[in-house]
Amino acid sequence: MKKMIKTIALSTLVAATFSTSVLTVSANTKNTSTSENALITKFKQQTTDDAIIATKKSISKLTQDDLNNFIPTEAIKTNGNTVTDPGSDANFVTKINYKATKNPKNVIKLPKGYTIKALKSVSNGNNVSNRNLQIKFGKIGLNGLAINSFTPAKKDLSRQVNLNKITYAQSKELTQFALSVLNPAIKQAKGIQYKASSNTIKAAQAYADVYSKDNWNNTGKKTSHDPKAQKVVSKKFKISDVAEENYSDNPSFALTSPKIKKRVVSMAALKHAIYNSIALQLFEDGPSYWGHASALMNLDIHKKYQPNYFAVSFDKFGGIHFFMVPHNKLVNKQYNIGTMISVK
């Protein structure tokens, strides 16, 4: 009888222990879920709170208002290869999947008809006034926005980046992410992919740092490119020929005021900004007659000046800088690329 009682007591103890464990796991799961939801909410605030999600309309049903957002509304005059940029702001962005996953595969797929041949044609100075050609490629571009989307990684939602003191490791990770998105698109088009190196990443960040120092916040008179940046970086890194494309329109970061001291955003928000900026420059570059798209697709540098090294950097205002440096025995011969960086 005593033995029976001991057995029952042990069973009761095991059951109680198991029950407590279940409650603990349940509570932890709830806390994790609550925490993750809070991070997602913050991520939304740092990304598309003021943006319009990419159109879901059939390409054939786009209205004239849709088209006027990303192509010239009138034929323009050209002077050689110089064209007038109407400066239209993008009204579409890529879609975001707010269900974060452990290891999302964020890639950009080119839509049907988006080829190097077509891009070269539409960006050619002789064709920028060809309204029908611009509209046709503009529709292809919108399709590119509609078929692509970004998913944040769970770990990146809680990883904070101080844009006042961005580290080399963070810049390296962001560059690797950018090329994991961009190079497959170039490969799909059968183009020449970019390479990455340690000194290119450092030079890119030095470039962005000039914008930060000069309070170049893309407002008022401090818009477009800071003319000091190229001079500073060219001298420091012995680069005579360098290209830089910036995309500084990140109002949802709310960082444009020079008076703000704390400039911290999540790694997820920065990666989305890179993804979205690449997509917009590839697919909605009609107002600039596809000049940014051509640069990102590595078409501005002749084959004989390849390889072209790429890096991405952020200034303190959340402005993104895509930095490209060709280097071989014919160009930028004194430039030391540093260590080669693998691109996943």
Side-chain angles (χ1 to χ4, degrees):
M1 186 67 179
K2 291 182 179 179
K3 185 175 182 181
M4 178 67 74
I5 292 174
K6 288 183 179 179
T7 304
I8 293 173
L10 181 59
S11 300
T12 304
L13 178 61
V14 171
T17 303
F18 179 74
S19 177
T20 302
S21 298
V22 171
L23 289 173
T24 303
V25 171
S26 178
N28 288 340
T29 302
K30 186 175 181 179
N31 290 337
T32 301
S33 178
T34 301
S35 176
E36 189 170 305
N37 287 339
L39 290 171
I40 287 291
T41 298
K42 190 172 183 179
F43 173 67
K44 286 182 178 180
Q45 293 171 348
Q46 293 180 342
T47 52
T48 59
D49 55 351
D50 58 348
I52 301 172
I53 302 302
T55 180
K56 295 181 180 178
K57 296 179 183 179
S58 166
I59 297 302
S60 62
K61 294 181 180 179
L62 289 173
T63 67
Q64 190 61 46
D65 285 340
D66 292 328
L67 296 175
N68 287 341
N69 281 311
F70 59 90
I71 64 168
T73 55
E74 298 177 0
I76 51 89
K77 295 180 180 180
T78 62
N79 180 12
N81 290 324
T82 303
V83 298
T84 301
D85 183 348
S88 302
D89 290 328
N91 282 346
F92 299 102
V93 297
T94 45
K95 292 172 286 189
I96 301 176
N97 172 21
Y98 287 108
K99 294 181 180 179
T101 61
K102 185 176 181 180
N103 294 305
K105 183 66 175 178
N106 288 301
V107 297
I108 287 181
K109 298 178 182 178
L110 300 182
K112 184 178 180 181
Y114 197 104
T115 64
I116 285 180
K117 182 179 179 180
L119 181 56
K120 283 183 175 180
S121 177
V122 79
S123 61
N124 186 296
N126 295 323
N127 292 331
V128 294
S129 299
N130 187 332
R131 184 170 178 78
N132 290 334
L133 184 65
Q134 295 293 329
I135 289 176
K136 181 180 179 181
F137 200 73
K139 289 181 179 180
I140 292 172
L142 260 192
N143 197 24
L145 288 182
I147 65 174
N148 288 290
S149 64
F150 174 85
T151 302
K154 288 184 178 181
K155 64 178 181 180
D156 288 342
L157 292 172
S158 59
R159 298 171 61 208
Q160 301 301 307
V161 179
N162 183 347
L163 295 178
N164 283 318
K165 298 179 180 179
I166 194 165
T167 67
Y168 170 77
Q170 290 167 336
S171 294
K172 177 183 175 181
E173 179 178 344
L174 291 167
T175 292
Q176 289 177 310
F177 171 78
L179 287 180
S180 74
V181 171
L182 183 56
N183 269 347
I186 295 174
K187 183 178 180 179
Q188 184 183 338
K190 298 180 180 179
I192 302 174
Q193 298 177 68
Y194 289 103
K195 293 187 176 183
S197 73
S198 59
N199 281 351
T200 307
I201 293 170
K202 292 174 183 177
Q205 191 56 51
Y207 212 103
D209 289 344
V210 176
Y211 281 70
S212 297
K213 184 178 180 180
D214 289 349
N215 285 322
W216 202 271
N217 59 350
N218 204 38
T219 62
K221 295 181 180 180
K222 295 189 175 183
T223 59
S224 188
H225 299 273
D226 184 342
K228 290 184 182 179
Q230 185 169 339
K231 296 177 182 178
V232 171
V233 174
S234 294
K235 182 178 181 180
K236 183 176 181 179
F237 290 88
K238 297 181 180 179
I239 300 171
S240 58
D241 191 348
V242 61
E244 178 252 1
E245 299 289 352
N246 67 19
Y247 191 89
S248 301
D249 187 16
N250 290 306
S252 56
F253 284 163
L255 299 174
T256 53
S257 172
K259 297 179 181 180
I260 296 176
K261 292 183 178 180
K262 188 176 181 181
R263 299 177 183 274
V264 177
V265 294
S266 69
M267 181 63 79
L270 294 182
K271 287 183 179 179
H272 166 262
I274 291 171
Y275 183 93
N276 191 54
S277 297
I278 290 174
L280 287 176
Q281 290 197 17
L282 289 183
F283 300 136
E284 201 177 22
D285 200 37
S288 296
Y289 309 108
W290 309 100
H292 301 93
S294 296
L296 279 188
M297 289 296 284
N298 201 8
L299 299 180
D300 285 358
I301 304 298
H302 192 276
K303 289 182 179 179
K304 70 179 181 179
Y305 298 126
Q306 298 288 342
N308 202 3
Y309 292 85
F310 178 99
V312 65
S313 59
F314 280 86
D315 58 50
K316 70 180 183 181
F317 302 106
I320 309 167
H321 302 267
F322 297 133
F323 188 82
M324 296 88 105
V325 186
H327 170 70
N328 62 21
K329 63 182 180 181
L330 297 175
V331 61
N332 290 325
K333 291 185 289 185
Q334 292 184 312
Y335 174 56
N336 177 9
I337 63 170
T339 306
M340 291 294 295
I341 301 298
S342 63
V343 181
K344 299 177 181 178

